[in-house]
Structures are given as structure tokens and as C-alpha cells.
Amino acid sequence: MSKNPYPDHIFGLDESPANSARKAKRRVQGVHHWGNKRPFRPVPGDQVLLTASTSTDLPIIKMRVATTTNNWKTQQTFSFKKESLSWNISLWGWVREWSLLLPPQEAGLTLRYKIWAEISVNESGVCKLVYADNQASSLEAADEFAIYYGADDTPDWARSARVYQIFVDRYNPGEGNPWLQTE
């Protein structure tokens, strides 16, 4: 029997223990936000709680966020507050949580933001910036996040609808390729 040329990798290459452990470690090492906010879909007037985490191998001075409502023509900067410290088994080290409550915004507004940590480089006070998630060192290269403050415009019928996705490549293996038989 020949080897299946289309192995089913639902989780990609992360299904092996070595790869999943490496990914879990990368997910907590450094400075991360991962779009964590509450409420997830704020409405006008809601305060939004942003959370971030940092591994304690980084000598962090401050965590900050820059926000803009006009494509970075102007911006506001806010500082995060230190929160809990917890042990992370994947990292085999401590992870610091940070939080920040953003002020309410008006209807129809999109607030864009970038999060960074100021990290001490030496005793003389020199620091570098590390931006959340992609670990960039400049504002231009940093991952950008956004919050839209609007009413839920999902139609009522969609709340109970069933949605089917059809992947055409699952029905036709392509020109000249044999059909795969289920076992």
C-alpha cells in the first residue's frame, strides 16, 4: 500500500510533541498581547481592558500602548499596570501579566494600537523597545491591533443559521492525480 500523499494534518506540524512544545514556549516567551481585550466586541461608551504578558527573562522597565484614531497622524500613549506573576510550564519560567483600561470611544470609531515593552539594556539607563507579538524593534514594523466601536450589525437570521463551507479541492484531486480512497 502506498503512502497517502494527502495526510490529514488538522493542526499542521504542531501535532508532534516536539513541535507543539516549541510553539507553546514561543507563545509566552517575549512580549505578547494576541489581541486580548474585554469586551471582545465593544460598543460605543465601553471601556476596553487590554491584557498583555511578558516573560521575566526580559528586564522590563515599562509596558506601554500607543493608540490612534486617524492612521497615526496623532497618537496617545498609555502605560500598563503590573498584574499577576505566574509560573508557565512550557517556558519553565515566570510570566508577568499586564493590564490597561482604555477610555470609552464614540460610535463608528476604529481605534488602532501597538503595544511595546521598554527593556533595560544596561545599568546606565539605556533601553530598547520590543513590540508585542512579532517582537519588532520599531513602531513601523510592529504588529498593529484594532478595535471597532460599533453596534452589532449581524442580522437576526444569521444568529441561528448554519453555514457550510465547501472546499472544492476535497472533491477533485486535480488534473492527472488519482482519487484517494477512504480506508
Side-chain angles (χ1 to χ4, degrees):
M1 183 172 174
S2 66
K3 186 175 178 186
N4 185 344
Y6 302 97
D8 188 10
H9 289 286
I10 294 172
F11 302 106
L13 298 175
D14 291 333
E15 63 193 24
S16 76
N19 288 339
S20 59
R22 196 174 9 258
K23 182 180 179 184
K25 185 175 181 177
R26 274 195 320 268
R27 186 158 173 83
V28 292
Q29 195 167 32
V31 180
H32 294 288
H33 169 54
W34 303 118
N36 290 327
K37 64 183 183 294
R38 281 187 301 269
F40 183 72
R41 298 180 79 196
V43 295
D46 279 351
Q47 287 186 309
V48 174
L49 177 68
L50 299 181
T51 57
S53 66
T54 57
S55 53
T56 57
D57 59 329
L58 301 174
I60 295 185
I61 300 167
K62 288 185 179 181
M63 282 284 291
R64 297 182 186 254
V65 63
T67 64
T68 185
T69 57
N70 57 12
N71 269 344
W72 302 104
K73 292 178 187 130
T74 61
Q75 63 187 35
Q76 280 188 292
T77 303
F78 302 96
S79 293
F80 278 79
K81 180 176 81 168
K82 272 186 187 181
E83 296 291 350
S84 64
L85 190 62
S86 59
W87 183 258
N88 184 282
I89 294 172
S90 301
L91 184 59
W92 204 253
W94 295 97
V95 174
R96 167 75 65 196
E97 298 295 326
W98 302 81
S99 70
L100 167 71
L101 201 55
L102 290 174
Q105 301 295 325
E106 60 192 49
L109 185 114
T110 300
L111 181 81
R112 299 183 190 290
Y113 63 98
K114 296 184 181 193
I115 295 173
W116 71 91
E118 294 177 12
I119 299 174
S120 176
V121 175
N122 58 35
E123 291 83 31
S124 64
V126 175
C127 71
K128 69 176 185 174
L129 305 182
V130 176
Y131 286 84
D133 294 353
N134 69 351
Q135 312 306 303
S137 57
S138 69
L139 183 70
E140 296 77 27
D143 281 351
E144 181 176 282
F145 305 95
I147 302 170
Y148 175 69
Y149 291 85
D152 188 358
D153 57 356
T154 305
D156 287 337
W157 65 265
R159 295 181 193 283
S160 61
R162 290 187 185 199
V163 178
Y164 295 92
Q165 295 180 351
I166 298 173
F167 298 94
V168 177
D169 66 324
R170 303 306 194 268
Y171 295 97
N172 182 352
E175 186 71 34
N177 293 323
W179 287 91
L180 298 175
Q181 298 299 316
T182 57
E183 295 181 39

